[in-house]
């Protein structure tokens, strides 16, 4: 593998889990933008949102992408908001093969039912928040990705296998 494999998609799509499968199969590192940001800031994502605001978080996301572009080939799991900025979409496509893990709102709600770590989904009307964000973001994710993969109700290893087979088609 000579370039990154970049996983994008909504919160709860399974980017980090599928990324773990891919990195184990390929024997390359798994890098996670949220983890890099938390390490750099010495704070959790929730603390960054609360103390510095979402804009500051988004700026750090863009900085982290520049750092990622210089790393050896890896599987990159991105925060769900990374593709929202045009400059980020360009950076993602420049650094490797971009894969969109596509999920329905029901899947997100089930997987993140007790979650307290995603500031955008806290408080009342979680379903409404997920549906509204997902409707707005789906076209953005599609535009950013080289490949879209269904991630509802499937095992992470099956999703990883599909991604690999579509990135590296078997020899005829
Ligand atoms: C966000 C997704 C989160 C995290 C932050 C904002 C978003 O990452 O970056 O809470 O805007 O969709 P995950 O997609 O890994 O949950």
């Amino acid at each position: 593998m000579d370039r990154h494999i970049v996983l994008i998609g909504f919160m709860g799509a399974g980017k980090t889990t599928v990324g773990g499968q891919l990195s184990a199969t390929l024997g390359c590192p798994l890098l996670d933008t949220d983890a890099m940001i938390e390490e750099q800031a010495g704070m959790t994502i929730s603390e960054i949102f609360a103390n510095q605001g979402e804009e500051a978080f988004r700026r750090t996301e863009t900085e982290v992408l520049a750092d990622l572009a210089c790393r050896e080939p890896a599987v990159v799991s991105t925060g769900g908001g990374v593709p929202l900025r045009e400059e980020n979409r360009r950076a993602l496509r420049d650094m490797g093969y971009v894969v969109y893990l596509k999920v329905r709102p029901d899947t997100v709600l089930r997987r993140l039912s007790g979650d307290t770590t995603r500031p955008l989904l806290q408080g009342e009307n979680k379903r409404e928040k997920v549906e509204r964000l997902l409707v707005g973001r789906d076209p953005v994710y599609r535009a950013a990705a080289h490949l879209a993969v269904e991630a509802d109700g499937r095992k992470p290893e099956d999703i990883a296998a599909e991604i690999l087979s579509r990135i590296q088609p078997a020899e005829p």
Side-chain angles (χ1 to χ4, degrees):
M1 192 169 87
D2 57 350
R3 307 182 70 207
H4 295 329
I5 296 177
V6 182
L7 301 179
I8 64 168
F10 203 72
M11 296 169 265
K15 292 162 293 189
T16 306
T17 314
V18 172
Q21 285 287 334
L22 288 170
S23 97
T25 306
L26 294 167
C28 67
L30 171 66
L31 303 172
D32 182 307
T33 60
D34 285 340
M36 290 170 75
I37 290 169
E38 289 187 333
E39 196 182 328
Q40 190 176 309
M43 281 185 271
T44 65
I45 305 283
S46 300
E47 286 166 342
I48 299 172
F49 269 70
N51 299 338
Q52 303 175 349
E54 181 172 349
E55 258 316 295
F57 173 74
R58 298 299 176 199
R59 273 197 300 278
T60 317
E61 281 187 318
T62 301
E63 285 165 22
V64 159
L65 296 189
D67 175 2
L68 277 170
C70 321
R71 306 283 189 104
E72 64 178 278
V75 177
V76 178
S77 166
T78 59
V82 168
L84 297 179
R85 285 188 174 189
E86 153 71 21
E87 64 180 307
N88 293 355
R89 292 198 289 278
R90 225 174 313 120
L92 294 176
R93 291 178 67 96
D94 283 349
M95 72 175 77
Y97 199 84
V98 182
V99 180
Y100 170 26
L101 297 189
K102 202 173 150 25
V103 279
R104 285 192 296 269
D106 283 348
T107 305
V108 175
L109 287 162
R110 197 180 57 249
R111 289 186 184 163
L112 300 184
S113 68
D115 178 77
T116 56
T117 67
R118 270 83 168 188
L120 297 181
L121 301 183
Q122 301 312 301
E124 301 296 301
N125 301 325
K126 203 163 181 169
R127 172 172 291 276
E128 198 184 302
K129 286 176 181 150
V130 169
E131 285 174 352
R132 182 173 40 80
L133 285 172
L134 202 43
V135 164
R137 288 180 176 192
D138 179 67
V140 178
Y141 292 143
R142 284 174 191 277
H146 296 103
L147 169 70
V149 173
E150 290 295 334
D152 286 304
R154 299 177 68 196
K155 293 191 197 133
E157 53 266 40
D158 293 343
I159 299 170
E162 178 184 342
I163 292 169
L164 290 176
S165 72
R166 292 178 69 183
I167 290 181
Q168 315 166 319
E171 294 294 323

